[in-house]
Amino acid sequence: MKNVKLSFSGLAAPDLDGRSRTEVFVNVEADLTVLDGGREVLRAGAFPVVELASALCAWKARPSDDRGDFTLTSLSLEGHWRLRLLRSTDGWQVVDDGHPDAFTGAPHSAVFTGAARSAAEVDAAIDEFTTRLRDDCLQLLGPWIEQYFD
């Protein structure tokens, strides 16, 4: 079992009206699951997975010792994605900040900090996620979608 895993299911684009970056990032969605050490850290429905993949690939393209922390600033999610990749003294950690209740502001879940993972391990999880997503997007939408995975 991999220590960090990003997976998706139910890839769809029911509201996709065009091929612009904004249209694709907002309207190509899937149910997303993030695991760390076999523990479910995040499950989110109708998540903008192409936008996430693009941001993760851009972050991963930087040398690991030059990377800052990863937080997704999304076109369609309010605020920021609550799950982050943070540098620690021993590598990278998946951190879930929890999410506040819309009415009370109290967190629904406790903050989760995963084990320290090497850059190679985190990069492999990103590669596995984006490769599968690209393949499924090509089947669903056609070859034009590949430009968002470069």
Side-chain angles (χ1 to χ4, degrees), residues 66-141:
D66 275 348
R67 291 182 199 166
D69 298 337
F70 177 83
T71 301
L72 177 66
T73 302
S74 174
L75 297 172
S76 61
L77 301 174
E78 290 187 31
H80 67 83
W81 188 33
R82 71 181 206 224
L83 193 75
R84 300 178 292 148
L85 294 170
L86 302 180
R87 183 179 291 284
S88 70
T89 55
D90 298 324
W92 293 96
Q93 291 179 293
V94 174
V95 175
D96 180 359
D97 293 327
H99 55 284
D101 182 282
F103 300 104
T104 67
H108 282 291
S109 61
V111 172
F112 171 81
T113 302
R117 309 292 181 194
S118 70
E121 185 177 356
V122 171
D123 289 354
I126 292 168
D127 289 344
E128 182 180 326
F129 171 73
T130 57
T131 297
R132 181 170 168 246
L133 180 61
R134 178 178 41 249
D135 291 348
D136 286 8
C137 282
L138 284 167
Q139 287 183 345
L140 178 68
L141 300 168

Side-chain angles (χ1 to χ4, degrees), residues 7-9 12 17 20 78 81-82 110 122 143 150:
S7 62
F8 66 92
S9 61
D17 291 328
S20 72
E78 290 187 31
W81 188 33
R82 71 181 206 224
V122 171
D150 294 336

